[in-house]
Amino acid sequence: MAVILKSPGEIDAMKAAGQLSAEVLRKVGELVKPGVTTLELDEFAETYIREHGGIPAFKGYGGFPGSICASVNEQIVHGIPSKKVVLQTGDILSVDTGATVDGWVGDNAWTFAVGKISDDKKRLLKVTEQCMWAGLESAVAGNHLGDIGHAVQSIAEKAGYGVVREYVGHGVGHNMHEEPNVPNYGHRHLGMKLQVGMVLAIEPMINMGTRKVVDGDDGWLVCTRDGKPSAHFEKMVAITEDGPVVLTTEPDHRRPL
């Protein structure tokens, strides 16, 4: 598949989906606390998205049953919300939300602390967020995909963490996953050249230990092989003539906290 470049007007149109996706992510984050189930968070997210003019982008996508992905501690990505998963003090929860508005998809993720967490988990969240911002800042016309990956990888590995290879960022538009894939590792000046009109989801998945992963039994869940925690942060960015423009954001909330 070819990369689908977006016009300035189309990028403006995507901002509604981006804002709603960011808003519901923030609202879900406000509900994250000990004793809450991930199914409760999912039900809230679906209702909120629909009441605000959107469609949950994840629900039914490839058969996925939830409106959010909810991944706890060593779970990296694609956790299915469940009434059996009750959040506990000290957990970290990665929440991935997506909303479709007027045919355009918004996609973003954040890892939230559940109550008071350990210092090593705080450091993992801080570093992974830094990785995401560095990747977003590298989404400049004339750079290459390798520049984004290198920006993420260098920060993560300097901190002693593993960078997941099997799951990467991607293009976004009318479809949630478009070309190109956007790895969170790479070398500067290598890979596809970035062009004005690209819209990318940059989403580092960083493990406290090894980068190696293991698949769960449900066909969706992905966990760290060594059982150590993982964090996942994601925002969607448009490459414009004036530089990178983050689309999954709210006017008064750069971060969903």
Side-chain angles (χ1 to χ4, degrees), residues 125-151:
L125 268 57
K126 181 179 179 179
V127 170
T128 307
E129 183 182 351
Q130 289 173 343
C131 289
M132 179 193 70
W133 291 116
L136 291 165
E137 290 168 3
S138 300
V140 175
N143 275 357
H144 295 255
L145 285 175
D147 292 299
I148 295 175
H150 178 81

Short mmCIF file of all heavy atoms in Angstrom, two decimals, residues 125-151:
data_model
loop_
_atom_site.label_atom_id
_atom_site.label_comp_id
_atom_site.label_asym_id
_atom_site.label_seq_id
_atom_site.Cartn_x
_atom_site.Cartn_y
_atom_site.Cartn_z
N LEU A 125 7.82 5.30 33.35
CA LEU A 125 6.81 6.17 32.73
C LEU A 125 7.44 7.47 32.24
O LEU A 125 7.14 7.93 31.12
CB LEU A 125 5.69 6.47 33.72
CG LEU A 125 4.48 5.53 33.69
CD1 LEU A 125 4.89 4.09 33.92
CD2 LEU A 125 3.44 5.95 34.74
N LYS A 126 8.31 8.05 33.04
CA LYS A 126 8.94 9.31 32.65
C LYS A 126 9.78 9.15 31.39
O LYS A 126 9.69 9.95 30.45
CB LYS A 126 9.81 9.82 33.80
CG LYS A 126 10.51 11.15 33.51
CD LYS A 126 11.34 11.61 34.71
CE LYS A 126 12.05 12.92 34.40
NZ LYS A 126 12.86 13.39 35.57
N VAL A 127 10.58 8.10 31.34
CA VAL A 127 11.46 7.89 30.19
C VAL A 127 10.64 7.57 28.94
O VAL A 127 10.93 8.07 27.85
CB VAL A 127 12.48 6.78 30.49
CG1 VAL A 127 13.23 6.38 29.23
CG2 VAL A 127 13.46 7.24 31.57
N THR A 128 9.62 6.74 29.08
CA THR A 128 8.82 6.38 27.90
C THR A 128 8.10 7.59 27.33
O THR A 128 8.00 7.75 26.11
CB THR A 128 7.83 5.26 28.24
OG1 THR A 128 8.53 4.16 28.84
CG2 THR A 128 7.13 4.76 26.99
N GLU A 129 7.60 8.45 28.20
CA GLU A 129 6.98 9.69 27.71
C GLU A 129 8.02 10.55 26.99
O GLU A 129 7.72 11.12 25.92
CB GLU A 129 6.34 10.48 28.85
CG GLU A 129 5.63 11.72 28.35
CD GLU A 129 5.01 12.57 29.44
OE1 GLU A 129 4.97 12.13 30.61
OE2 GLU A 129 4.58 13.70 29.13
N GLN A 130 9.22 10.64 27.53
CA GLN A 130 10.29 11.39 26.85
C GLN A 130 10.57 10.81 25.48
O GLN A 130 10.80 11.55 24.51
CB GLN A 130 11.56 11.36 27.71
CG GLN A 130 11.48 12.19 28.97
CD GLN A 130 12.70 12.01 29.87
OE1 GLN A 130 13.46 11.04 29.72
NE2 GLN A 130 12.90 12.92 30.80
N CYS A 131 10.56 9.48 25.38
CA CYS A 131 10.77 8.82 24.09
C CYS A 131 9.72 9.27 23.08
O CYS A 131 10.04 9.56 21.91
CB CYS A 131 10.71 7.30 24.25
SG CYS A 131 12.10 6.55 25.11
N MET A 132 8.47 9.31 23.52
CA MET A 132 7.39 9.72 22.62
C MET A 132 7.58 11.14 22.12
O MET A 132 7.49 11.42 20.91
CB MET A 132 6.04 9.59 23.32
CG MET A 132 4.85 10.01 22.45
SD MET A 132 3.33 10.23 23.39
CE MET A 132 3.71 11.72 24.33
N TRP A 133 7.86 12.08 23.03
CA TRP A 133 8.03 13.47 22.62
C TRP A 133 9.21 13.63 21.67
O TRP A 133 9.15 14.39 20.70
CB TRP A 133 8.19 14.37 23.84
CG TRP A 133 6.96 14.52 24.67
CD1 TRP A 133 6.78 14.12 25.96
CD2 TRP A 133 5.70 15.09 24.26
NE1 TRP A 133 5.51 14.40 26.39
CE2 TRP A 133 4.83 15.00 25.37
CE3 TRP A 133 5.24 15.67 23.08
CZ2 TRP A 133 3.51 15.46 25.33
CZ3 TRP A 133 3.93 16.14 23.04
CH2 TRP A 133 3.09 16.03 24.14
N ALA A 134 10.28 12.88 21.92
CA ALA A 134 11.44 12.95 21.03
C ALA A 134 11.10 12.44 19.64
O ALA A 134 11.53 13.01 18.63
CB ALA A 134 12.60 12.15 21.62
N GLY A 135 10.30 11.37 19.58
CA GLY A 135 9.86 10.87 18.29
C GLY A 135 8.99 11.86 17.55
O GLY A 135 9.14 12.08 16.34
N LEU A 136 8.07 12.50 18.29
CA LEU A 136 7.20 13.49 17.67
C LEU A 136 7.99 14.67 17.12
O LEU A 136 7.72 15.17 16.02
CB LEU A 136 6.18 13.99 18.70
CG LEU A 136 5.12 12.97 19.15
CD1 LEU A 136 4.42 13.46 20.41
CD2 LEU A 136 4.11 12.70 18.04
N GLU A 137 8.99 15.12 17.87
CA GLU A 137 9.80 16.25 17.43
C GLU A 137 10.63 15.92 16.20
O GLU A 137 11.03 16.83 15.46
CB GLU A 137 10.71 16.69 18.58
CG GLU A 137 9.96 17.35 19.73
CD GLU A 137 10.81 17.50 20.98
OE1 GLU A 137 12.01 17.15 20.93
OE2 GLU A 137 10.27 17.96 22.01
N SER A 138 10.87 14.65 15.96
CA SER A 138 11.65 14.22 14.80
C SER A 138 10.80 14.06 13.55
O SER A 138 11.34 13.79 12.47
CB SER A 138 12.36 12.90 15.10
OG SER A 138 13.25 13.05 16.20
N ALA A 139 9.48 14.22 13.68
CA ALA A 139 8.56 14.05 12.54
C ALA A 139 8.55 15.33 11.71
O ALA A 139 7.58 16.09 11.69
CB ALA A 139 7.17 13.70 13.03
N VAL A 140 9.65 15.55 11.02
CA VAL A 140 9.87 16.78 10.25
C VAL A 140 10.13 16.40 8.79
O VAL A 140 10.87 15.44 8.51
CB VAL A 140 11.08 17.56 10.81
CG1 VAL A 140 11.39 18.77 9.95
CG2 VAL A 140 10.82 17.96 12.25
N ALA A 141 9.51 17.11 7.87
CA ALA A 141 9.74 16.85 6.44
C ALA A 141 11.23 16.91 6.13
O ALA A 141 11.93 17.83 6.56
CB ALA A 141 8.97 17.86 5.60
N GLY A 142 11.71 15.92 5.39
CA GLY A 142 13.12 15.84 5.06
C GLY A 142 13.89 14.88 5.93
O GLY A 142 14.94 14.37 5.54
N ASN A 143 13.37 14.63 7.16
CA ASN A 143 13.92 13.57 7.98
C ASN A 143 13.50 12.22 7.43
O ASN A 143 12.76 12.14 6.44
CB ASN A 143 13.46 13.71 9.43
CG ASN A 143 14.31 14.66 10.25
OD1 ASN A 143 15.30 15.19 9.75
ND2 ASN A 143 13.95 14.88 11.49
N HIS A 144 13.93 11.16 8.10
CA HIS A 144 13.59 9.80 7.67
C HIS A 144 12.95 9.06 8.83
O HIS A 144 13.06 9.47 10.00
CB HIS A 144 14.85 9.07 7.20
CG HIS A 144 15.47 9.67 5.98
ND1 HIS A 144 15.36 9.10 4.72
CD2 HIS A 144 16.20 10.81 5.80
CE1 HIS A 144 16.00 9.85 3.84
NE2 HIS A 144 16.51 10.89 4.47
N LEU A 145 12.28 7.95 8.51
CA LEU A 145 11.70 7.13 9.58
C LEU A 145 12.75 6.72 10.60
O LEU A 145 12.48 6.64 11.80
CB LEU A 145 11.02 5.89 8.98
CG LEU A 145 9.69 6.11 8.28
CD1 LEU A 145 9.22 4.80 7.64
CD2 LEU A 145 8.63 6.65 9.24
N GLY A 146 13.96 6.48 10.12
CA GLY A 146 15.03 6.10 11.03
C GLY A 146 15.35 7.18 12.05
O GLY A 146 15.83 6.87 13.15
N ASP A 147 15.11 8.44 11.71
CA ASP A 147 15.35 9.52 12.66
C ASP A 147 14.38 9.45 13.83
O ASP A 147 14.75 9.72 14.98
CB ASP A 147 15.24 10.87 11.96
CG ASP A 147 16.36 11.10 10.95
OD1 ASP A 147 17.52 11.12 11.38
OD2 ASP A 147 16.06 11.24 9.75
N ILE A 148 13.12 9.10 13.52
CA ILE A 148 12.14 8.94 14.59
C ILE A 148 12.54 7.76 15.48
O ILE A 148 12.59 7.87 16.71
CB ILE A 148 10.72 8.72 14.01
CG1 ILE A 148 10.26 9.97 13.26
CG2 ILE A 148 9.74 8.35 15.12
CD1 ILE A 148 8.92 9.80 12.55
N GLY A 149 12.82 6.63 14.85
CA GLY A 149 13.18 5.44 15.61
C GLY A 149 14.43 5.64 16.45
O GLY A 149 14.49 5.21 17.61
N HIS A 150 15.42 6.32 15.88
CA HIS A 150 16.66 6.57 16.61
C HIS A 150 16.41 7.46 17.82
O HIS A 150 16.98 7.23 18.90
CB HIS A 150 17.69 7.22 15.69
CG HIS A 150 18.98 7.55 16.38
ND1 HIS A 150 19.96 6.62 16.61
CD2 HIS A 150 19.43 8.71 16.94
CE1 HIS A 150 20.96 7.19 17.26
NE2 HIS A 150 20.67 8.45 17.47
N ALA A 151 15.56 8.47 17.66
CA ALA A 151 15.27 9.37 18.77
C ALA A 151 14.66 8.62 19.94
O ALA A 151 15.01 8.84 21.10
CB ALA A 151 14.33 10.48 18.30
#
